[in-house]
Amino acid sequence: KVIFHSIDGMEAQICAVVAEATGLQLGPHEVSLRKSSGARFTSMTLDIEVQNAETVLDLYKTLGGLENVVSCF
């Protein structure tokens, strides 16, 4: 799950980072989005399988370092 400021292009940027790290092309079945009640933030849930725990940790580190990402877990 990635929580970020609702800014145009953030969904695509996050999907690109995940695709680069995992080799997966994310589609509508792997990604779900939900806006906060005030629409200032968006929550993106990724339903993917990765090869190992190291890939998950690398994704957390990379995604957490993106500008406008508030949290990832």
Side-chain angles (χ1 to χ4, degrees), residues 5-66:
H5 292 275
S6 297
I7 295 173
D8 288 341
M10 280 300 296
E11 293 96 343
Q13 184 179 6
I14 291 168
C15 288
V17 167
V18 173
E20 185 176 325
T22 64
L24 300 172
Q25 293 302 316
L26 301 178
H29 298 292
E30 293 85 21
V31 178
S32 63
L33 297 170
R34 184 166 184 259
K35 298 252 185 210
S36 65
S37 59
R40 289 185 57 214
F41 301 96
T42 301
S43 168
M44 175 186 275
T45 302
L46 303 168
D47 186 17
I48 60 173
E49 290 186 26
V50 296
Q51 295 299 318
N52 53 51
E54 186 177 319
T55 302
V56 174
L57 296 175
D58 288 345
L59 272 173
Y60 286 161
K61 183 177 179 180
T62 303
L63 292 170
L66 292 177

